[in-house]
Amino acid sequence: MSEDTFLFIDGASFRRLLDSTRGVYGLGDNFDIDYTKLVNSKIRRAFFYDAYPIQKRNQTDAQYEAEYKKTVDYFNLIGSTSNFHVRHGESRFRKKRGSEQKAVDIMLALDAYRHASKENMDRIILVTNDLDFCPLFEALLETRVRTELWYEKSKTSSLLIDAADHTVEINEAYLTRFFPNNVAPQFIVSLGPAPEGPMLQEMGLLQEISIKNEPFRLYRDDRNKNFVGVYITSQNRQSVRSKNFHTVRLWSEIEWNISLSDLDVPENTQF
């Protein structure tokens, strides 16, 4: 028997990650993911919550109109995706905190709890870094709905992480799985046992660092045009490979829960 899963996206958190992803991969301000890949056979409905911008004090009317139109186009893009629904609220400006969303978080929480109470879903996936959603997870514990949190490790409180039944750490590399097909091939990730012997000798070692007294090595495989990250522990040897250096680095952080901040970006990292 299949289960009904609903996806709820905190637009503010998601847009920050998307902007960072564009910067990491040099994709430009107009690049976007393929939202049809977010709604698959396991996710029946998806809801995106965000707010229209307000005019900032240093913005001209023309600049604000351009920003507003860009937001409208963005909402229309998401809303035109099958089984995707956009819920939008307002923004307001505070002197010390700048522009912030108003009522959007409450709207998401109420919608999620209402669907849970009506037993419309068996599982909820919430994409957010915002600790304000902790009471929502606690309230959902009183329903039969299982909860899952997609979060960025560096931006999320452990209190929110602990509140969910299941968690998935995401970062810029995680979003590559939702790239359009004409962009995705460059970022395809392959995980598996680490190559040994002659295979390693044929690859160029770019850098080696020690992580908890275990070696992590970054290779450049010119024959297959891949970057290969190899992590060797006392239990096993693992590898991750991609045509994109940043994807290898970021996927390694997720796959092995290690920080590779000391890994320098070598010259000519792209094939």
Side-chain angles (χ1 to χ4, degrees):
M1 182 177 179
S2 62
E3 65 175 12
D4 287 328
T5 299
F6 284 15
L7 173 68
F8 290 80
I9 300 176
D10 170 15
S13 295
F14 185 81
R15 280 189 292 104
R16 283 192 291 269
L17 177 58
L18 182 57
D19 286 342
S20 179
T21 302
R22 291 170 178 144
V24 166
Y25 293 114
L27 295 169
D29 293 340
N30 294 323
F31 171 82
D32 217 324
I33 64 169
D34 182 352
Y35 289 92
T36 63
K37 294 185 177 183
L38 271 173
V39 183
N40 50 42
S41 58
K42 295 181 180 180
I43 298 177
R44 187 159 69 91
R45 285 182 178 171
F47 301 88
F48 187 91
Y49 295 79
D50 211 335
Y52 288 111
I54 60 170
Q55 187 168 3
K56 304 177 184 66
R57 294 178 180 178
N58 60 346
Q59 268 187 323
T60 65
D61 290 344
Q63 289 172 331
Y64 173 64
E65 288 173 5
E67 182 184 5
Y68 194 91
K69 181 181 183 303
K70 186 176 181 180
T71 303
V72 171
D73 292 342
Y74 181 54
F75 289 171
N76 288 340
L77 170 67
I78 299 172
S80 65
T81 304
S82 296
N83 299 318
F84 233 115
H85 307 274
V86 177
R87 302 282 189 263
H88 50 77
E90 302 174 354
S91 295
R92 60 184 173 186
F93 185 85
R94 288 186 173 181
K95 290 183 179 180
K96 294 184 178 180
R97 301 175 65 176
S99 179
E100 62 178 20
Q101 294 182 350
K102 180 181 179 182
V104 176
D105 292 355
I106 296 175
M107 190 188 310
L108 188 160
L110 288 175
D111 286 353
Y113 190 77
R114 183 170 64 251
H115 282 295
S117 299
K118 292 183 177 181
E119 299 188 351
N120 293 335
M121 58 184 177
D122 303 298
R123 181 170 67 115
I124 176 176
I125 299 174
L126 177 56
V127 184
T128 187
N129 306 316
D130 194 340
L131 183 59
D132 288 347
F133 286 108
C134 201
L136 171 61
F137 281 106
E138 293 172 353
L140 290 173
L141 286 175
E142 300 178 8
T143 72
R144 68 177 184 84
V145 174
R146 296 184 301 281
T147 60
E148 181 171 311
L149 172 68
W150 290 10
Y151 70 98
E152 290 182 83
K153 184 177 181 180
S154 63
K155 296 180 173 61
T156 309
S157 167
S158 60
L159 294 175
L160 182 63
I161 296 171
D162 293 342
D165 294 326
H166 181 67
T167 59
V168 176
E169 182 188 341
I170 62 175
N171 62 13
E172 294 86 352
Y174 194 88
L175 287 194
T176 61
R177 65 181 62 192
F178 307 118
F179 279 10
N181 290 336
N182 63 334
V183 178
Q186 181 183 358
F187 308 103
I188 290 176
V189 173
S190 175
L191 300 171
E196 299 185 61
M199 292 183 65
L200 284 179
Q201 294 176 7
E202 292 178 2
M203 297 189 296
L205 178 63
L206 294 175
Q207 190 176 1
E208 178 176 346
I209 59 176
S210 178
I211 301 168
K212 298 179 181 178
N213 296 320
E214 309 280 12
F216 177 89
R217 298 177 183 133
L218 176 68
Y219 294 90
R220 181 182 177 117
D221 183 358
D222 290 310
R223 186 180 61 178
N224 297 310
K225 297 188 180 301
N226 275 309
F227 293 98
V228 183
V230 176
Y231 188 40
I232 303 172
T233 69
S234 56
Q235 285 78 30
N236 54 27
R237 300 165 56 94
Q238 299 172 288
S239 70
V240 56
R241 62 170 58 230
S242 173
K243 294 183 182 299
N244 185 277
F245 164 77
H246 295 291
T247 304
V248 169
R249 180 175 63 82
L250 294 167
W251 261 102
S252 299
E253 293 182 351
I254 285 183
E255 189 68 18
W256 301 314
N257 194 29
I258 56 178
S259 174
L260 298 180
S261 57
D262 294 333
L263 195 65
D264 296 331
V265 179
E267 295 181 3
N268 303 319
T269 55
Q270 304 303 321
F271 282 102

